[in-house]
Amino acid sequence: MPKVLSDGLKKKLLRKQICESRILYLKIYCNIFAAGIIFLKNIYCMFGVTILGNNSALPAYDRHPTAQIVTLNEQLFLIDCGEGTQMQLSKYRIRRSKISHIFISHLHGDHYFGLPGLLTSFSLMSREQDLHLHAPEPLRQILDLQFSSADTRFTYKLHFHPLNDGGIIADDEKFSVETFKVFHRIDCWGFIIREKKKPRKIDIEKVTQKDIPAVFYERLKAGEDYITKTGERIKNEEVTFAATPPKSYAFCGDTIYNEAICTNLKDITLLYHEATFLKDQEERAASRFHTTTVQAGKIAQIVQPKRLLIGHFSSKYETLESFLEETASVFSQTELALEGVSYIVK
Ligand SMILES: [Zn+2]
Ligand SMILES: [Zn+2]
């Protein structure tokens, strides 16, 4: 005979089930929350570049002049600041207060006409943290004239660093930025942002087995061997893993085709190179100190980055498919620099 449960027991069982399902839901929520935190942390800590403008001199077909945001750990760098950059920053929800360095490649308007507005807005938004501006020397006078004429008062300190021949221009324990000359009608610079070599990773199982004290972990990460009390040497490689190799992003803005720039582009993970015209416009490209699709592909063929990004498209072209087709026929790992898209340096 099946047992008949009393009403009291039924209620008790029901309460137990409700309680168990609540715990289950709570665990699921906790896991989703934890996964979300990890996801956000990964996004936040990534090394990547977001394109804000990919067109050449004239804005056209909803494409804007050059501007790019490089994200590296918690820092944002702005490379070039064409007209409309502020609107693009808002459109793609980029936290402008996080921008610590701005790099301006040259003084053609499509690369800096958005800058005075952005610098002024920082003040209107009561920015307090210092800002480093790396740019051709004449920009200092241009900005001084504009800001002194308007009696603009800054709420933050703007450090102007004139670009010289080349070398390291910004540096901290996690990254370095170097610059080099490219070949344009006026002085023009490229930029390379490199991650610093990362520390080795501790193999927790091995260090526990070998009884290495936690106070020594930092030295293990730096590559030191461990000597035990009895004088036994434990090789670093036995108890640590190699870190992921440092990655780099190179920006080669307006330039005529010139293989000489390749000597500056060693060990580049992601290379951005301008490709203003399609291959049938080689003469026109040369006369304007710009590069064609095939020429950009040739540079990548020599440099051998993991990927090539092309941009600075002439406003004479409405669509961009041919740019990808022609460049990829020379260097297959090519992508178009599309506005609003973030490319991870990997
Ligand atoms: Zn340009
Ligand atoms: Zn230019």
Side-chain angles (χ1 to χ4, degrees):
M1 283 284 285
K3 239 182 180 175
V4 179
L5 296 176
S6 67
D7 284 350
L9 200 55
K10 276 185 192 166
K11 276 183 190 167
K12 213 172 164 187
L13 274 173
L14 192 63
R15 273 203 299 274
K16 192 172 169 248
Q17 279 177 5
I18 291 171
C19 188
E20 280 172 357
S21 62
R22 278 181 183 161
I23 289 171
L24 183 67
Y25 278 125
L26 192 66
K27 278 184 182 168
I28 291 170
Y29 285 137
C30 284
N31 284 342
I32 291 171
F33 183 69
I37 295 280
I38 290 167
F39 177 72
L40 286 174
K41 193 167 172 263
N42 285 341
I43 294 228
Y44 198 56
C45 293
M46 74 170 189
F47 181 13
V49 56
T50 303
I51 305 301
L52 301 179
N54 61 3
N55 220 47
S56 61
L58 288 173
Y61 306 114
D62 209 21
R63 302 195 301 259
H64 297 73
T66 305
Q68 305 186 352
I69 284 285
V70 175
T71 308
L72 181 55
N73 302 314
E74 308 84 39
Q75 303 211 50
L76 297 186
F77 307 134
L78 174 63
I79 300 183
D80 281 349
C81 188
E83 192 184 337
T85 297
Q86 288 199 76
M87 299 299 285
Q88 295 291 81
L89 287 167
S90 303
K91 184 174 176 183
Y92 299 115
R93 297 176 187 282
I94 289 162
R95 289 179 67 190
R96 63 185 77 191
S97 61
K98 289 274 171 193
I99 298 171
S100 56
H101 292 71
I102 298 177
F103 303 94
I104 300 294
S105 65
H106 67 300
L107 294 183
H108 282 155
D110 55 321
H111 296 259
Y112 86 98
F113 278 175
L115 187 65
L118 180 65
L119 297 180
T120 307
S121 293
F122 279 141
S123 235
L124 294 173
M125 292 166 143
S126 307
R127 179 187 175 110
E128 285 178 0
Q129 68 271 39
D130 290 9
L131 179 67
H132 295 269
L133 173 60
H134 307 260
E137 174 70 45
L139 186 62
R140 196 199 303 254
Q141 282 169 280
I142 296 170
L143 293 176
D144 279 351
L145 179 63
Q146 275 199 309
F147 294 135
S148 60
S149 309
D151 191 24
T152 305
R153 310 214 174 155
F154 281 81
T155 57
Y156 61 97
K157 193 156 177 47
L158 179 65
H159 302 269
F160 188 93
H161 306 277
L163 294 172
N164 295 309
D165 287 341
I168 304 276
I169 52 170
D171 190 43
D172 81 358
E173 79 266 14
K174 289 192 176 150
F175 74 89
S176 70
V177 183
E178 56 194 83
T179 183
F180 57 96
K181 280 276 188 78
V182 295
F183 303 92
H184 200 35
R185 194 160 56 76
I186 58 172
D187 282 346
C188 186
W189 284 264
F191 304 105
I192 302 174
I193 297 159
R194 291 184 195 276
E195 282 180 320
K196 290 272 175 78
K197 202 174 161 199
K198 293 173 189 165
R200 294 181 68 84
K201 291 176 186 161
I202 302 287
D203 183 336
I204 286 294
E205 213 182 308
K206 292 278 172 58
V207 288
T208 314
Q209 268 174 19
K210 301 275 182 188
D211 214 13
I212 300 177
V215 287
F216 200 78
Y217 289 179
E218 283 306 311
R219 290 166 72 178
L220 286 179
K221 284 186 195 171
E224 269 189 56
D225 292 342
Y226 180 69
I227 313 289
T228 64
K229 282 176 191 154
T230 57
E232 186 201 346
R233 177 181 290 272
I234 297 171
K235 288 259 184 209
N236 189 283
E237 309 86 75
E238 289 177 45
V239 290
T240 61
F241 301 110
T244 48
K247 297 178 283 291
S248 57
Y249 173 63
F251 171 90
C252 297
D254 294 13
T255 182
I256 195 170
Y257 175 69
N258 190 331
E259 292 175 6
I261 65 166
C262 300
T263 53
N264 298 296
L265 300 170
K266 297 224 171 75
D267 302 321
I268 298 300
T269 316
L270 178 61
L271 170 66
Y272 168 89
H273 197 287
E274 74 124 289
T276 307
F277 295 103
L278 293 177
K279 64 180 178 185
D280 63 341
Q281 298 291 311
E282 206 174 298
E283 259 180 53
R284 189 175 184 172
S287 70
R288 297 179 183 200
F289 290 82
H290 286 300
T291 306
T292 68
T293 48
V294 166
Q295 291 172 334
K298 280 184 189 166
I299 294 290
Q301 224 176 27
I302 299 167
V303 173
Q304 287 294 312
K306 292 263 177 4
R307 281 185 302 160
L308 168 68
L309 264 187
I310 51 167
H312 200 267
F313 309 116
S314 164
S315 45
K316 98 190 203 78
Y317 303 102
E318 184 171 356
T319 58
L320 303 175
E321 291 84 8
S322 305
F323 280 86
L324 183 60
E325 225 168 80
E326 290 185 5
T327 314
S329 72
V330 182
F331 187 77
S332 61
Q333 296 304 307
T334 299
E335 288 180 56
L336 297 172
L338 297 175
E339 290 183 16
V341 177
S342 296
Y343 301 84
I344 293 176
V345 182
K346 61 178 180 183

